[in-house]
Amino acid sequence: MSETQDLHGCYHCGLPIPLGAQYPLEIEGMQREMCCRGCQAVAQAIVENGLTDYYKHRTALPAAGHELVPEELQQLALYDHASIQKSFVIEQGGQIRQASLILEGITCAACIWLNERHLRQLDGVLEVQVNYASHRARITWDDETIKLSRILKEIQLLGYNAHPYSAERQAALRKQQRARDLRRIAVAGLCAAQVMMIAVALYAGAAFGMEKNTAEMLRYFSLFLSLPVMFYAALPFYQSAWFALTARNVNMDVPVSLALVVAFTGSVWATFYGSGVVYFEAISMFTLFLLGSRFLERNAQEKSVEAAENLLKLAPAMATRVTGGQHEIVAVLELSAGDIILTKPGEAIAADGEVIEGESAVDEALLTGESCPVKKQAGCQVIAGSINIEGPMLLKVTGVGENTVLAGIVRLLDRAVAEKPRLAQLADRVASYFTYALLVLAALVGGVWWWLDASRAFEIVLAVLVVTCPCALSLAAPAAFAAAGAHLLKRGILLTRGHALETLSKVTHLVLDKTGTLTYGKPVLQEIAVLADVAEKDSLVLAASLELASEHPLAASFLNKVSRPELRGVRQAQNIPGKGVTGIIDGKFYSLGNRKLTSITENLPVPPSVQPGATLVWLCDERRPLAMFVLSDGLRPQAAELVANLKRRGIKVTILSGDSEEAVAHIAAQAGIDHWHSGMHPEDKLARLRTFQQQGDIVAMAGDGVNDAPVLAGADVSLAMGGGTQVARSSSDIVLLSESLPDIQCSLETGQASMMVMRQNFIWAIVYNLVALPFAAAGLIPPWLASLGMSASSLVVVLNALRLR
Amino acid sequence: MPASTLFYLLVGAVAMAIVAGIGIFWAIRSSQFDDLEGPAQRILMDDDDPMIPRYRLNEKRD
């Protein structure tokens, strides 16, 4: 291998090429090196289909390719079942079908091109449309010539991953709403441009003199052009205001609607009577600004929601039912109590049940937060959603759907959501006071002028209402939220609820879950102790080879440490459930497992340096132990840094974990966290959280598991890890797609920055109103200045918010 | 400038705004605003290679 190849890395994915790896491929007449067989296969598929342009156009590197294993292909075949297709496929008459898919692995626009081009080349595929923004694909195909599993396989061949996505009603509604908003903005924009043009002529006329007829004609045109704005574009404001009023509430839209209606009525009156002031340009500009910033705000939020939905991956819930020795794959919904189901290692268990045959360890971290797998044998109860780790088991179903433990936790969650504090209501309350004050003031000014000079009263009341129109005030919050949301999204932080930013800026206490949040949630190789005359590297290679051959769940932690080409061939690989794996490499017998696997390791001492809670694995040949591996759940990088930074800011940090005392203490010490609680159930966590809140803390909670969900919902603001469980994500306000801990700090900072911008906006709006008000009340503000001030104050607010990006 | 000239010009402006409005409504209806980033990048890709006979794939892969 030449040095240049090492410098450039894999031609496909850009990762460094392991020493000695030989995966060449000729692309457009050039010999290119790949890092692994997976990348080679993907590149091969791209070349064979005449899609090499992809390499020219791409602007970001894709993920490394991986080889398809037969089991994955078999799983794809399940997507052809009619009962499973029901949830995400639309039949379009005859054999024409359409499915919505989420594409995983899209990194740049060339990926879109690659997928669309390749799929369109397939016989039977009628239409492919990939949306770059949401990473979703809509594929129409003829079921007679091509099966969905085949299409999915082709996508995988290109190195991407496709998941069915059930186009929910909500998504359709969102799309409609978006189209409606866009139409309103278009109308407001077009009309505002025209009205503004006429207004400039009117300003000039006011300054230099204009024939009365011409001015009148211009006013009538302005009136005509404002009609669509008033009666179409601004409708949402009236609706929202009306809803608030009928609920005996006052929100921001009430003063907005009031100002619009009063200014319009006054302007119409002035137009028909040929005297007084018209505010048509102010009406249209204000409507445009407000619609625009609300649209941007909603857009940023929608993108977050879509990205969060893409995580759900609608895995069709399937189970293997055993009836009279026959295995059949059925939807989980079709299971009923008393059925016998088979669960294979690596699978999530489909229903609550009792083990009737087999022996295995089950990972219940999802529910209990316990990082160690729990032993299960005949007679034991297992919980739906937990993951079978070691061996196959036959289960007798005791509960499905609503009757499972999992469903119980979800119910607990619903209750917590209902109790969620609503700080957001405060802003509306402020707006209502403002509105009352405004109305009282306008009435007062009107009364005084009625007494002084009745002929000018109406005109001046109108000026007061227009000048003090809460445009800037009502734009202050949405503009800041829109900009901050867009900024966070770029970093992979999704805001799923509106109030999150506001609360984030006030957080005084961060509560963290341990497993999966502070740590990776899976065992990582921490330490290797060589016990005989073998090199550390060799022992690792032997262990990894054994693990790979046996498809043992711990395999990943070993395979991360060695490159694939180094692995040796293993014969007679055997997986002994609950103990470990054995096999023959180069004619020699090796075993890898816990102390119960062979008699050699049974009485070996555990070194005192090993931290509690770690998993110990020994590698032995026929006679003696060769090496010992220490595996434990590793702390995520930068955890200590995050904790130190937060402490400096005066934010308390606490761990609430369901794990054992030793394990939590160890991680807490590593991360520098002083307060921690171990062995907690979801109810305990929630109770503890409530105590914190009663002490006056504003609590942010970060978690990932199902057991965290009720706590996430109960916290003032909550953050979920992108790789965590669906329930955790859907019950939290913020999803960290990047899964990196510093993002917690980043979101706190953005929260504070956006509150600052919002406060500046509010101050500006209020100061502007306070300054302008006396002049308007005194009848000193000329009409063009009033409407210019109104537009300019809104513009300042929007521009200030854009600083957040 | 007589007021009538101005009147016709203004009517023209309104008519143009209406035409533009119809155009935008049509674009929204045909979901051209759904993906604002993809099309901007797509234009940069020369995917006309298969139209050139010597680059054309012999047959569709199945």
Side-chain angles (χ1 to χ4, degrees):
Chain A
M1 282 192 44
S2 70
E3 269 180 35
T4 49
Q5 278 158 4
D6 266 344
L7 277 176
H8 288 112
C10 173
Y11 186 69
H12 179 73
C13 71
L15 289 178
I17 300 172
L19 224 56
Q22 290 287 335
Y23 299 106
L25 187 73
E26 199 183 292
I27 298 172
E28 303 213 309
M30 293 275 283
Q31 187 80 1
R32 304 288 191 184
E33 293 292 333
M34 313 288 158
C35 66
C36 60
R37 195 176 295 285
C39 283
Q40 192 189 25
V42 169
Q44 181 103 39
I46 291 175
V47 172
E48 275 173 8
N49 289 288
L51 300 168
T52 46
D53 274 357
Y54 164 71
Y55 290 111
K56 274 190 240 156
H57 298 309
R58 66 178 179 179
T59 51
L61 292 166
H66 73 280
E67 280 181 274
L68 294 184
V69 289
E71 209 162 295
E72 280 178 85
L73 291 178
Q74 210 183 331
Q75 281 217 321
L76 287 182
L78 294 176
Y79 287 126
D80 290 338
H81 279 272
S83 61
I84 284 159
Q85 281 195 355
K86 225 181 333 185
S87 63
F88 64 93
V89 169
I90 307 162
E91 294 194 17
Q92 297 195 319
Q95 290 295 312
I96 310 292
R97 293 182 188 180
Q98 191 183 61
S100 305
L101 304 174
I102 296 167
L103 286 184
E104 241 186 298
I106 302 264
T107 55
C108 68
C111 300
I112 308 281
W113 175 85
L114 187 61
N115 277 296
E116 286 189 354
R117 276 291 298 277
H118 180 56
L119 294 181
R120 271 186 204 134
Q121 284 175 15
L122 299 173
D123 260 333
V125 173
L126 305 174
E127 209 190 310
V128 188
Q129 243 184 9
V130 185
N131 186 319
Y132 180 57
S134 63
H135 295 187
R136 289 185 190 159
R138 184 171 297 133
I139 297 180
T140 317
W141 74 97
D142 182 355
D143 211 50
E144 238 159 43
T145 29
I146 194 164
K147 292 284 176 210
L148 181 61
S149 57
R150 171 97 170 78
I151 299 174
L152 295 177
K153 193 184 123 204
E154 290 295 332
I155 295 175
Q156 293 214 333
L157 279 179
L158 292 178
Y160 301 89
N161 222 334
H163 303 283
Y165 160 73
S166 88
E168 284 164 71
R169 264 195 64 214
Q170 260 199 314
L173 284 179
R174 266 210 308 272
K175 209 177 149 188
Q176 271 178 21
Q177 177 69 40
R178 193 184 147 85
R180 242 197 321 261
D181 288 350
L182 276 170
R183 280 199 294 269
R184 294 220 154 95
I185 290 174
V187 167
L190 283 169
C191 294
Q194 304 291 320
V195 176
M196 203 61 214
M197 178 186 76
I198 296 172
V200 171
L202 281 173
Y203 296 160
F208 303 112
M210 183 186 263
E211 252 179 73
K212 199 164 182 288
N213 285 350
T214 316
E216 218 160 77
M217 185 182 74
L218 290 177
R219 285 182 173 193
Y220 273 105
F221 265 99
S222 306
L223 167 62
F224 176 72
L225 283 164
S226 319
L227 288 177
V229 177
M230 275 307 283
F231 294 102
Y232 177 71
L235 272 182
F237 306 138
Y238 312 145
Q239 278 163 355
S240 157
W242 181 249
F243 279 132
L245 286 177
T246 48
R248 297 182 174 279
N249 248 330
V250 180
N251 64 5
M252 256 321 177
D253 284 332
V254 174
V256 167
S257 311
L258 189 76
L260 283 176
V261 169
V262 170
F264 186 75
T265 330
S267 305
V268 170
W269 184 78
T271 308
F272 283 130
Y273 285 89
S275 71
V277 192
V278 291
Y279 295 103
F280 294 121
E281 78 281 19
I283 293 171
S284 352
M285 294 292 274
F286 170 49
T287 308
L288 177 64
F289 284 147
L290 200 54
L291 281 175
S293 62
R294 286 196 184 172
F295 177 74
L296 289 178
E297 186 197 11
R298 191 175 301 149
N299 221 11
Q301 209 170 335
E302 240 168 52
K303 263 196 194 162
S304 297
V305 171
E306 270 178 7
E309 276 177 0
N310 285 357
L311 290 174
L312 301 187
K313 287 181 195 157
L314 189 101
M318 288 175 277
T320 316
R321 183 162 60 190
V322 184
T323 31
Q326 292 286 313
H327 289 190
E328 59 168 337
I329 288 169
V330 295
V332 169
L333 289 176
E334 290 174 30
L335 288 178
S336 52
D339 280 351
I340 309 291
I341 56 170
L342 174 73
T343 149
K344 288 183 220 144
E347 268 183 7
I349 294 171
D352 282 3
E354 190 185 313
V355 182
I356 52 173
E357 207 183 304
E359 187 181 317
S360 178
V362 171
D363 180 357
E364 292 181 344
L366 182 81
L367 299 147
T368 59
E370 194 108 12
S371 59
C372 290
V374 185
K375 280 261 164 290
K376 297 285 178 187
Q377 57 206 11
C380 288
Q381 300 291 326
V382 292
I383 304 170
S386 55
I387 294 167
N388 180 8
I389 296 195
E390 282 173 346
M393 291 190 293
L394 281 180
L395 307 175
K396 187 172 169 193
V397 176
T398 54
V400 269
E402 279 303 295
N403 300 322
T404 59
V405 176
L406 188 64
I409 292 192
V410 175
R411 276 197 294 275
L412 183 63
L413 167 75
D414 288 342
R415 260 212 317 277
V417 170
E419 293 162 7
K420 187 135 202 154
R422 288 264 162 248
L423 275 159
Q425 289 172 353
L426 197 72
D428 271 349
R429 234 177 319 163
V430 171
S432 75
Y433 292 136
F434 185 85
T435 315
Y436 289 135
L438 201 75
L439 292 177
V440 170
L441 207 89
L444 217 66
V445 170
V448 171
W449 273 99
W450 189 259
W451 182 64
L452 284 177
D453 179 0
S455 66
R456 292 192 65 196
F458 181 80
E459 185 192 320
I460 285 170
V461 167
L462 195 61
V464 166
L465 278 176
V466 171
V467 165
T468 59
C469 157
C471 321
L473 206 57
S474 55
L475 277 171
F481 285 150
H487 169 71
L488 286 177
L489 192 64
K490 256 185 254 160
R491 288 203 50 156
I493 304 167
L494 308 181
L495 284 180
T496 55
R497 304 230 167 81
H499 76 92
L501 277 172
E502 195 180 343
T503 323
L504 269 177
S505 65
K506 299 184 189 130
V507 166
T508 59
H509 197 151
L510 175 68
V511 175
L512 293 159
D513 171 51
K514 184 184 80 77
T515 318
T517 308
L518 263 180
T519 67
Y520 286 102
K522 50 187 176 233
V524 177
L525 187 56
Q526 299 281 359
E527 199 185 325
I528 305 170
V530 179
L531 305 172
D533 54 343
V534 283
E536 194 173 284
K537 182 80 188 165
D538 289 338
S539 65
L540 199 52
V541 169
L542 287 172
S545 309
L546 282 170
E547 287 286 356
L548 182 66
S550 62
E551 292 176 359
H552 193 257
L554 286 179
S557 36
F558 283 97
L559 289 169
N560 283 336
K561 299 278 174 180
V562 289
S563 59
R564 298 254 169 168
E566 287 176 292
L567 296 180
R568 316 252 191 95
V570 180
R571 285 186 299 116
Q572 295 177 20
Q574 212 184 346
N575 188 351
I576 302 157
K579 290 181 179 172
V581 292
T582 62
I584 294 175
I585 299 175
D586 295 336
K588 280 168 88 178
F589 175 85
Y590 291 99
S591 68
L592 179 76
N594 59 19
R595 55 171 66 244
K596 278 183 263 162
L597 180 59
T598 56
S599 54
I600 308 166
T601 49
E602 223 155 8
N603 299 313
L604 278 180
V606 175
S609 65
V610 171
Q611 46 162 290
T615 309
L616 297 181
V617 179
W618 277 274
L619 173 73
C620 305
D621 63 7
E622 261 167 293
R623 292 172 295 111
R624 60 204 173 120
L626 297 178
M628 185 189 73
F629 302 97
V630 182
L631 294 151
S632 70
D633 195 0
L635 194 66
R636 284 184 198 267
Q638 292 170 298
E641 200 181 308
L642 168 78
V643 173
N645 281 338
L646 290 180
K647 275 187 187 166
R648 208 172 314 126
R649 288 167 164 266
I651 296 174
K652 285 177 259 177
V653 183
T654 306
I655 300 181
L656 296 184
S657 173
D659 222 343
S660 69
E661 190 172 340
E662 294 106 343
V664 182
H666 180 77
I667 289 292
Q670 266 188 306
I673 298 173
D674 313 319
H675 306 282
W676 48 268
H677 302 274
S678 59
M680 301 191 99
H681 292 289
E683 309 90 79
D684 304 338
K685 286 189 178 184
L686 193 56
R688 178 71 60 176
L689 188 95
R690 296 263 184 253
T691 0
F692 291 149
Q693 286 174 331
Q694 272 154 25
Q695 288 162 9
D697 283 345
I698 307 281
V699 185
M701 162 88 194
D704 73 309
V706 172
N707 61 326
D708 299 324
V711 201
L712 286 171
D716 294 298
V717 60
S718 49
L719 305 103
M721 290 289 163
T725 54
Q726 178 190 332
V727 192
R729 284 195 305 260
S730 58
S731 55
S732 62
D733 309 312
I734 294 160
V735 180
L736 304 176
L737 283 183
S738 50
E739 296 211 348
S740 90
L741 288 174
D743 278 353
I744 296 183
Q745 200 189 334
C746 170
S747 26
L748 289 178
E749 276 163 7
T750 310
Q752 273 161 358
S754 61
M755 287 317 281
M756 180 128 87
V757 165
M758 226 169 90
R759 222 169 291 139
Q760 288 165 352
N761 280 352
F762 274 129
I763 290 172
W764 157 255
I766 288 168
V767 166
Y768 160 78
N769 280 340
L770 286 183
V771 170
L773 187 65
F775 291 100
L780 293 174
I781 294 199
W784 60 272
L785 192 61
S787 45
L788 207 64
M790 182 172 164
S791 306
S793 67
S794 314
L795 205 61
V796 167
V797 165
V798 173
L799 291 178
N800 188 31
L802 285 180
R803 290 189 308 135
L804 280 171
R805 272 176 179 264
Chain B
M1 187 164 63
S4 65
T5 318
L6 191 59
F7 178 80
Y8 291 126
L9 284 173
L10 283 172
V11 169
V14 171
M16 274 198 277
I18 290 173
V19 171
I22 291 170
I24 294 173
F25 272 48
W26 166 78
I28 294 170
R29 180 187 284 269
S30 56
S31 52
Q32 293 184 37
F33 285 96
D34 282 5
D35 183 1
L36 297 176
E37 290 140 77
Q41 315 244 359
R42 210 176 299 233
I43 193 75
L44 297 174
M45 309 200 180
D46 312 315
D47 50 358
D48 46 5
D49 272 5
M51 287 174 208
I52 304 167
R54 78 194 131 99
Y55 291 137
R56 199 172 285 161
L57 293 174
N58 296 333
E59 53 185 335
K60 279 194 164 192
R61 256 166 54 95
D62 57 9

